[in-house]
Amino acid sequence: MNHHVFEGDITTLPVDAIVNAANESLLGGGGVDGAIHRAAGPGLLAACRALPEARPGVRCPTGEARITGGFALPARFVIHTVGPVWHGGQRGEPALLEACYRESLRLAREHGVASIAFPAISAGVYGYPADAAAAIAVRMIRDAPWRPGNVVFCTFSAAMTRVYASALG
Ligand code: AR6
């Protein structure tokens, strides 16, 4: 597969779509979510706010994904997905994280995305162990029935870059 690891800010990448590790409100937050909203500008928040709620305050349930434009980003699209909060691994976390990758790829395919960048979904404040999260990311892309021609695993620290290098073998 045509993939590589890029260490740096996902908001700078000139890919068709970047994936956001969001929360269920889709109204922004810290980490990569905050960086994406800052770089995309207020149009992104307005587009998120316009998405229908699945239930009060929830525009994207955990394990699902939604797509918006990229506004001021170089990326044409932002695919927002909500990873699981790590509670020790017995509350369905692996299946939910797998679903994030599957649903993000499904939207990418529907929108003709040829290049995509993923951050380490759930591996920040949501506490998913980095090695386990990276293993799922790599497996879900490798085993996907369809994937964009160019897939970037975007890391944000030298330590996370090593984790992905190891997961990629
Ligand atoms: N580019 C690429 N990766 C980044 C960037 C960036 N600019 N900034 C941080 N990371 P996190 P989560 C890395 O916490 O664990 C938000 O508040 C970071 O180092 O952003 O899924 C949301 O609103 C880590 O490796 O996402 C949710 O409430 C990875 O991105 C919650 O955090 C994911 O860390 C989601 O938590």
Side-chain angles (χ1 to χ4, degrees):
M1 78 177 167
N2 187 8
H3 64 262
H4 68 280
V5 179
F6 167 81
E7 184 182 312
D9 184 354
I10 200 168
T11 67
T12 66
L13 293 176
V15 288
D16 288 344
I18 62 172
V19 176
N20 183 16
N23 60 67
E24 289 187 328
S25 78
L26 295 190
L27 297 183
V32 70
D33 192 7
I36 289 171
H37 275 273
R38 276 192 301 278
L44 182 63
L45 183 58
C48 288
R49 209 181 279 284
L51 293 168
E53 288 181 325
R55 46 180 202 275
V58 174
R59 290 179 183 76
C60 183
T62 301
E64 296 190 17
R66 301 289 185 267
I67 192 165
T68 65
F71 298 89
L73 292 165
R76 195 151 51 97
F77 298 110
V78 178
I79 296 173
H80 309 260
T81 190
V82 181
V85 176
W86 180 257
H87 290 291
Q90 303 306 310
R91 294 203 207 167
E93 295 95 327
L96 288 166
L97 188 56
E98 288 171 9
C100 288
Y101 287 93
R102 190 181 311 114
E103 291 300 299
S104 295
L105 289 176
R106 187 177 60 75
L107 286 174
R109 185 180 197 172
E110 278 177 19
H111 289 78
V113 165
S115 53
I116 192 168
F118 287 93
I121 301 162
S122 281
V125 303
Y126 278 3
Y128 210 110
D131 51 353
I136 286 176
V138 168
R139 176 166 51 76
M140 292 305 291
I141 299 301
R142 266 196 185 140
D143 296 351
W146 177 90
R147 75 185 78 82
N150 181 26
V151 177
V152 179
F153 295 108
C154 183
T155 61
F156 207 55
S157 67
M160 191 63 90
T161 301
R162 286 192 293 273
V163 166
Y164 271 81
S166 156
L168 285 160

